[in-house]
Amino acid sequence: MKISWPPRFIYCKTFWFLLFVFCTVTGHTQQPDSLLKKLDSLEKKADTAGQVNTINPLAYTETTRINVPAYFTLLASNMKQQFTAPFRASKKDWGNVAKFSLLAGALAFADRPLQRAALRWRKSSTTVRDVSGFITEFGGRYEGFTLAAFGAYGFIFKKEKMRTTTLLATQAYITGAAVAMLAKFVTGRQRPGYFGADSSLAKATFHGPFSISGSRYNGSTFSSSFPSGHTTVAFAAATVFAMEYRDKPIIPILAYTAASLIGISRVTENKHWATDVLVGAALGYVSGRQVVNNYHRYAKIKNDEKKKGKLTFNLQYSGGRLLPGMVYKF
């Protein structure tokens, strides 16, 4: 029996809708102390861009551990924040979006030339075909296995930070995939390989909603091209590791290099246009940052809750005398 990863249902829009509803309901029922509400960035006046996170391994404790209820509460919060982001964007945010749109628009003029160049490169080298095919799988089934290996390492050797980081990476993977799926549905862009794996006839056309998903040509089923889902989830997971291990420069370098190679392979495999990859990378980066920042807000909430009701004693020196002191936090 052939087993593929991710499973086919991962790419089903119904699955993502049901997952979103389930996470939202679970988040509310499992956390009567309104943790989901506390995490909700809709109540925050400032974005998380300037948030400073503590990444010292000692900060990852049983108090801040992600258990099953917390996992789904965080996931529900991530989904809510991602899908409502356009309604909360500031003028500065929209300015950055406009700048990025100009960059993507400029690259769009190179979509077809780059696709044809990638096809020529692919046809002329068996090495490129083999390496490209191998790398592109790390944005799909192999990435799931990789995350599972990191998670197993964290659990077996009791590395709380690695355990937490891997769980956050899976959340970023799911959140990024959901956002990419929605964008695919809305844009309905034709894939470069629509007329065949080695065809250069395709045009980078946006057909809009209800147009491309599930369409068939020459016996094959196609989905929308924009943005690249493989690239989105690769950069989402890479951003989590890059942020959580930013004190070790080699980790961000390796993480983003791997994600970039996956994105490039989607072009050489004739599955995506260059702009699909660029936008997928941006969406993945944003999703990964949001997931990490959300967790660290959660950690702060849990640490604050632990300190409540705590009675501490101390000594203070004043006027040449030692005076006993007492602090009660509630």
Side-chain angles (χ1 to χ4, degrees):
M1 179 178 68
K2 183 178 179 181
I3 301 176
S4 62
W5 180 266
R8 288 186 180 275
F9 69 81
I10 287 294
Y11 298 104
C12 175
K13 291 187 286 294
T14 303
F15 165 76
W16 289 112
F17 173 75
L18 293 175
L19 177 64
F20 177 67
V21 173
F22 173 74
C23 290
T24 302
V25 173
T26 304
H28 281 289
T29 57
Q30 294 284 0
Q31 297 290 337
D33 60 351
S34 70
L35 176 58
L36 186 63
K37 184 178 180 180
K38 294 178 183 178
L39 286 168
D40 191 354
S41 65
L42 288 173
E43 297 180 354
K44 298 181 178 295
K45 295 181 180 180
D47 193 10
T48 58
Q51 182 174 315
V52 178
N53 301 326
T54 302
I55 60 172
N56 188 311
L58 297 178
Y60 300 79
T61 64
E62 289 188 9
T63 302
T64 62
R65 177 175 292 174
I66 303 177
N67 54 27
V68 173
Y71 183 91
F72 286 104
T73 297
L74 286 168
L75 184 57
S77 180
N78 293 331
M79 292 284 192
K80 184 176 183 180
Q81 291 178 39
Q82 285 293 297
F83 284 110
T84 60
F87 305 103
R88 297 179 288 105
S90 64
K91 290 183 179 180
K92 182 178 179 181
D93 294 330
W94 285 116
N96 291 332
V97 170
K99 293 175 183 177
F100 180 78
S101 297
L102 289 175
L103 174 63
L107 182 61
F109 289 102
D111 268 338
R112 293 191 69 187
L114 287 174
Q115 184 242 0
R116 292 171 179 174
L119 281 177
R120 290 194 298 269
W121 192 25
R122 178 182 171 82
K123 289 179 180 178
S124 64
S125 173
T126 56
T127 301
V128 171
R129 290 196 296 273
D130 293 341
V131 172
S132 175
F134 177 76
I135 291 177
T136 202
E137 293 294 347
F138 275 96
R141 68 185 75 180
Y142 294 159
E143 185 167 4
F145 297 147
T146 302
L147 292 177
F150 284 140
Y153 169 79
F155 276 96
I156 294 172
F157 294 99
K158 298 181 179 179
K159 301 291 185 180
E160 193 64 34
K161 181 175 181 178
M162 176 58 71
R163 177 181 181 275
T164 299
T165 302
T166 304
L167 290 173
L168 293 178
T170 63
Q171 290 191 341
Y173 187 107
I174 294 171
T175 304
V179 174
M181 186 62 68
L182 176 63
K184 285 175 178 290
F185 172 75
V186 171
T187 57
R189 194 183 202 187
Q190 186 172 291
R191 288 183 180 270
Y194 186 79
F195 294 103
D198 298 321
S199 174
S200 60
L201 298 176
K203 295 182 179 180
T205 306
F206 290 92
H207 297 278
F210 305 104
S211 54
I212 293 295
S213 297
S215 63
R216 297 182 63 83
Y217 184 85
N218 285 341
S220 298
T221 302
F222 291 86
S223 60
S224 176
S225 174
F226 184 89
S228 167
H230 282 65
T231 307
T232 300
V233 298
F235 269 89
T239 299
V240 171
F241 280 93
M243 290 183 68
E244 289 293 278
Y245 289 93
R246 64 179 185 273
D247 56 331
K248 302 181 184 300
I250 189 62
I251 301 298
I253 292 174
L254 291 175
Y256 284 128
T257 297
S260 297
L261 290 174
I262 289 171
I264 293 172
S265 74
R266 301 307 289 163
V267 177
T268 55
E269 288 293 294
N270 204 33
K271 300 294 185 181
H272 285 283
W273 306 97
T275 46
D276 298 342
V277 171
L278 176 65
V279 174
L283 287 177
Y285 174 77
V286 170
S287 296
R289 283 194 65 86
Q290 186 271 316
V291 167
V292 170
N293 286 333
N294 209 33
Y295 164 73
H296 284 281
R297 289 200 300 274
Y298 161 80
K300 184 178 184 303
I301 291 170
K302 299 303 289 185
N303 283 325
D304 289 345
E305 288 177 349
K306 183 180 180 182
K307 293 176 182 177
K308 289 181 179 180
K310 184 177 181 181
L311 181 66
T312 59
F313 296 91
N314 58 57
L315 292 175
Q316 298 179 359
Y317 182 79
S318 177
R321 293 181 300 173
L322 285 175
L323 301 176
M326 180 177 66
V327 177
Y328 180 75
K329 295 185 177 181
F330 56 90

